[in-house]
DNA sequence: CAGAATCCTATGTGATACTG
DNA sequence: CAGTATCACATAGGATTCTG
């Protein structure tokens, strides 16, 4: 049987489990959704994900980078650092699945409290 | 903006996050894979998932039941209980995504230590 | 602006033993 | 056979503070 080793040195027997270990992180879907549209700077991501702390945001960006789903370029402009994140081709290859999950969630999981 | 309320009384703003909260549990993908093939009894699931404790197995089966992804029927045969689990239509509607995740994981995440 | 370091809490997961 | 109960542990996530 094949084992799957991820960049973060975790091991899985089940490919679905390995995939969810990436997508399953709390803010990763939202991050991917944003980056699917266009590259974002760190601060822009933070602004978009107001309830996500810098630590966790950076943590999950690191995971995505280590897994080669996103790439990161830094530049120094006017004495400040600009850190830009964007999807890699591998990250883009995952987006159809993320969108399928979004669609399924919207179709099947929404229940409005008023109508309940 | 829509909020998503799951059967386990958790709330999400992001449908992908809500979906992964179901698929993302450690043994859920494996359970779904098994049930996609045919109904299983509790003991059969346990035998197939040797490294999953009864407690966690039951816990995740409960989550799937509460979310209406699987159904459970019990029967008493020869003084013992037979508890059978099977996919609901809703659970089946999720399988294409699970298989897509499996496929993506196999395509992109496998790295064999020998070749590394 | 981006990020690293520290501390704290909630949750998920697991081992074991017990019950109807 | 199919659970439940209890204890213990690892990890994820968050709040706050500090740095180049």
């Amino acid at each position: 049987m094949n084992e799957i080793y991820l960049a973060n040195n975790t091991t899985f027997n089940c490919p679905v489990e390995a995939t969810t270990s990436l997508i399953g992180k709390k803010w990763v879907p939202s991050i991917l959704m944003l980056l699917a549209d266009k590259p974002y700077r760190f601060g822009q991501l933070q602004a978009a994900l107001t309830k996500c702390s810098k630590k966790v945001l950076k943590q999950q960006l690191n995971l995505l980078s280590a897994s080669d789903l996103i790439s990161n370029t830094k530049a120094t402009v006017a004495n400040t650092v600009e850190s830009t994140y964007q999807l890699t081709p591998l990250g883009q290859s995952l987006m159809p699945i993320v969108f399928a999950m979004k669609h399924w969630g919207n179709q099947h999981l929404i229940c409005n409290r008023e109508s309940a």
Side-chain angles (χ1 to χ4, degrees), chain A:
Chain A
M1 147 150 54
N2 280 325
E3 289 201 330
I4 300 183
Y5 304 91
L6 295 193
N8 46 337
N9 280 326
T10 49
T11 309
F12 301 92
N13 293 316
C14 164
V16 182
E17 211 188 304
T19 306
T20 51
S21 82
L22 299 177
I23 314 184
K25 300 296 172 183
K26 184 153 187 183
W27 298 98
V28 163
S30 308
I31 294 171
L32 291 178
M33 292 296 187
L34 291 169
L35 295 185
D37 183 34
K38 63 182 176 70
Y40 272 76
R41 301 244 312 272
F42 186 86
Q44 296 175 314
L45 288 173
Q46 231 196 306
L49 309 170
T50 48
K51 305 179 91 172
C52 178
S53 73
K54 292 170 89 166
K55 180 190 127 184
V56 174
L57 177 56
K58 178 56 179 165
Q59 206 172 276
Q60 311 208 344
L61 288 172
N62 282 344
L63 171 65
L64 293 175
S65 293
S67 307
D68 197 33
L69 295 179
I70 66 175
S71 62
N72 179 26
T73 56
K74 295 179 202 291
T76 302
V77 179
N79 277 339
T80 65
V81 181
E82 288 191 353
S83 183
T84 305
Y85 295 87
Q86 59 185 316
L87 285 188
T88 62
L90 183 61
Q92 287 169 21
S93 77
L94 186 59
M95 290 312 299
I97 295 181
V98 178
F99 283 119
M101 292 175 67
K102 177 183 177 180
H103 188 67
W104 188 89
N106 275 328
Q107 290 286 305
H108 300 291
L109 294 181
I110 282 191
C111 31
N112 206 318
R113 267 231 165 115
E114 278 99 314
S115 64

